[in-house]
Amino acid sequence: QSYAASSYVRSSAASPLPLDAIAPHPTIGREIARRAITLVRGLPHADPVASVAVSFGATKFALAREAPALEEVHVDADPSHVEIEQLLETLTTRGRRPLLLARRAHLHSSQAAAIARIVDRFPDALVVSLCEPFDVALFVGARHVVAAYGDDEVSIGGLADVIFGSSMPTGTLPVSVSS
């Protein structure tokens, strides 16, 4: 009986798409990424005109592409002490709210230290843990923290929909992270 039911479902369902086929809905990846954004605490929204994105270990997919008014600063994944001091000076000079895009800060101690210093100086900063959610445990002093699960084009687009648009983050942390 179970075999008959399974056979019926398989025969009546659409056949799977080939791996190289174009997706039937061109924005499905972005929609999935947007729905995965997880609010850890605080408010997940920012004004691109009044913010500056600090991208640690930046990839080619920039948040500024989604919000052209947004200023963006790229920093090494493991910035030196001198780079951290220059970054703090730049942020102070610009007077905009920092959006901190962390990439595996749990593996890069100087990135974690830089983000902690920025959060201390700019308490309204928004910290975004890209790639994996393990960084959220590092920033207990941050008022605003969200987790995204990638740093590719669709993940950055989904993140932009949440922090610059009217979408609410609906994701949940897939693992338990302790501080």
Side-chain angles (χ1 to χ4, degrees), residues 38-179:
T38 305
L39 176 62
V40 177
R41 68 180 159 274
L43 299 172
H45 299 294
D47 177 1
V49 175
S51 302
V52 57
V54 179
S55 188
F56 291 88
T59 65
K60 62 182 178 181
F61 302 112
L63 191 56
R65 178 178 168 198
E66 298 292 331
L70 180 71
E71 285 188 45
E72 199 162 43
V73 176
H74 298 277
V75 184
D76 287 341
D78 248 332
S80 69
H81 179 71
V82 171
E83 289 172 311
I84 294 170
E85 292 303 320
Q86 289 173 342
L87 176 60
L88 288 167
E89 184 178 321
T90 298
L91 293 174
T92 302
T93 302
R94 293 202 178 153
R96 292 176 168 216
R97 179 184 185 202
L99 308 178
L100 307 172
L101 307 177
R103 285 183 178 82
R104 299 185 173 109
H106 61 284
L107 300 176
H108 302 284
S109 60
S110 65
Q111 180 183 152
I115 292 171
R117 287 189 63 194
I118 294 167
V119 167
D120 284 345
R121 189 172 292 180
F122 302 93
D124 200 37
L126 172 63
V127 179
V128 180
S129 177
L130 295 173
C131 302
E132 305 96 10
F134 304 115
D135 292 345
V136 299
L138 299 175
F139 309 116
V140 294
R143 289 186 202 164
H144 312 286
V145 180
V146 297
Y149 302 97
D151 65 353
D152 56 351
E153 185 174 7
V154 295
S155 296
I156 296 297
L159 175 65
D161 290 347
V162 170
I163 63 175
F164 301 133
S166 60
S167 298
M168 290 302 295
T170 57
T172 57
L173 288 173
V175 295
S176 176
V177 289
S178 60
S179 50

